[in-house]
Amino acid sequence: MMDRAVFPEDVEFHPAEEPHHPEGSSTMLGFWIYLMSDCLIFAVLFAVHAVFGASYAAGPAPKDIFELELVAINTAVLLLSSITFGFAMLRMHMGDKKGTLIWLGITGVFGVIFLAVEIYEFTHLISIGATPQRSAFLSSFFTLVGTHGLHVTFGTIWLVTMMVQVWKFGLIEANQRRLSCLSMFWHFLDVIWIGVFTFVYLLGVLQ
Amino acid sequence: MSETHLDQLSKSPGSDQHDGHDGHHTGIPHGTFKGYMTGFLLSVILTAIPFYLVMEMPIPDAQLVGFTVVAFAVVQILVHMVFFLHLDPRAEGGWIILALVFTIILVVIAIAGTMWVMYHLNANMMPVHDMPGS
């Protein structure tokens, strides 16, 4: 480090004028920072669930109400949607508009299946009386899993929007950038889901 | 930051100094088919084992199974970060990884701190059913 202290006299330590940034060059970093802030939202919800996860208020425990088969199906669906989104991105980099749209469509179908299974799970729980009002455990469960589900909902809406954009305007640079953001969002949701199925469902049932 | 970078600054103050942006405007990290498939297969294995361990309980020790399941989750999160999110320590001049490390520190403080404080709060509370006259 010390040898850097000696510089020629004419060295400029900053550019004379503001460097020109091409349009959208900072979007990926900005979107990543958004994802990190989203991560903090989930961290708080996981922390709440860690505290309330065993507060059943003499109500149902995870063992009584969780159906791990459903969770396994949803995990598989989300994982498959991650790989199909990856294939869409590979097609996009190849400039294959039709292939991109097909893989995005398949990803969207997986997203809808995930949401359908989750809505079925929630309505089933509510119908047997395991409502968010029943116990602190169920309140934090519905908040955490529901927040993830909301993210998948908006991700799916965004995905359909992007399919229309690509269909109408093609794989222009702006669309490539937007698809890359959505791809990060989608894979990020899968990462959060790893935390959900591990800490909420699997460890919940083990308790 | 290296000395060569400083040299570039002094030689061409007006030109594009962002080495990461040359001919690669969007800075989109590229994945490969092989990379996605590797990540997918690893994820399938890392998901299937914890589900099997909990649903079939081949090991009757719940605590051991719990630790194993969490270990699998940590590995799977790393697999997703590398193969799906294409995490590159050099991307965006290191800001991506810096933001990630900062977030991980905050997440650990928030979750571990909450559990620590709330556990002690709980443990130090006088149990209601032991109170006289209740």
Side-chain angles (χ1 to χ4, degrees), chain B residues 16 27 68:
Chain B
D16 189 0
T68 319

Side-chain angles (χ1 to χ4, degrees), chain A:
Chain A
M1 292 299 270
M2 286 306 289
D3 57 340
R4 277 216 266 141
V6 184
F7 287 112
E9 300 246 320
D10 59 338
V11 163
E12 283 183 46
F13 288 97
H14 56 87
E17 52 184 83
E18 275 297 304
H20 171 69
H21 289 284
E23 192 198 335
S25 66
S26 50
T27 305
M28 301 310 285
L29 177 59
F31 194 76
W32 179 257
I33 289 172
Y34 154 70
L35 286 182
M36 292 299 101
S37 72
D38 221 10
C39 202
L40 295 182
I41 293 179
F42 281 107
V44 172
L45 294 177
F46 273 111
V48 170
H49 194 75
V51 172
F52 289 139
S55 307
Y56 309 133
K63 220 178 269 178
D64 309 322
I65 51 171
F66 287 166
E67 289 169 52
L68 284 185
E69 289 82 5
L70 276 185
V71 185
I73 291 172
N74 254 358
T75 308
V77 166
L78 214 53
L79 195 53
L80 280 170
S81 82
S82 258
I83 187 81
T84 55
F85 206 120
F87 291 157
M89 293 305 287
L90 290 177
R91 288 282 145 189
M92 185 195 87
H93 288 305
M94 288 157 81
D96 176 1
K97 178 179 159 184
K98 202 180 156 203
T100 309
L101 281 174
I102 290 171
W103 284 115
L104 283 179
I106 296 171
T107 310
V109 170
F110 280 131
V112 171
I113 293 175
F114 175 87
L115 287 170
V117 173
E118 193 161 290
I119 289 167
Y120 164 76
E121 188 197 11
F122 278 15
T123 49
H124 174 70
L125 286 178
I126 289 168
S127 72
I128 60 170
T131 60
Q133 296 97 316
R134 183 62 191 84
S135 64
F137 150 65
L138 283 165
S139 303
S140 65
F141 164 77
F142 275 101
T143 313
L144 173 54
V145 182
T147 305
H148 179 269
L150 263 183
H151 277 76
V152 177
T153 310
F154 282 104
T156 310
I157 294 170
W158 187 5
L159 191 128
V160 173
T161 314
M162 281 320 298
M163 283 178 70
V164 175
Q165 288 260 3
V166 171
W167 179 56
K168 281 194 90 162
F169 304 108
L171 294 169
I172 53 173
E173 201 179 298
N175 277 347
Q176 292 199 25
R177 193 168 65 232
R178 290 162 189 155
L179 276 176
S180 300
C181 286
L182 178 56
S183 145
M184 274 159 57
F185 186 71
W186 201 265
H187 294 310
F188 168 77
L189 288 184
D190 207 3
V191 171
I192 297 294
W193 182 252
I194 299 171
V196 172
F197 80 69
T198 304
F199 290 102
V200 176
Y201 288 103
L202 295 183
L203 292 191
V205 169
L206 274 180
Q207 263 172 9

Side-chain angles (χ1 to χ4, degrees), chain B residues 46-131:
Chain B
L46 291 167
T47 306
I49 294 174
F51 268 95
Y52 168 73
L53 286 179
V54 174
M55 288 170 90
E56 304 296 328
M57 285 305 267
I59 310 161
D61 185 353
Q63 199 170 21
L64 182 65
V65 174
F67 279 116
T68 319
V69 164
V70 172
F72 272 105
V74 172
V75 177
Q76 198 186 345
I77 287 174
L78 289 175
V79 165
H80 276 245
M81 291 272 180
V82 171
F83 292 102
F84 291 160
L85 283 164
H86 314 301
L87 211 65
D88 175 8
R90 283 157 302 173
E92 304 273 2
W95 288 105
I96 296 262
I97 199 87
L98 189 77
L100 177 67
V101 170
F102 180 56
T103 310
I104 291 172
I105 292 171
L106 289 187
V107 167
V108 169
I109 291 174
I111 293 179
T114 304
M115 289 171 75
W116 182 30
V117 170
M118 295 310 285
Y119 172 78
H120 280 266
L121 210 59
N122 244 348
N124 292 329
M125 284 279 271
M126 192 183 287
V128 180
H129 50 84
D130 286 352
M131 281 165 77

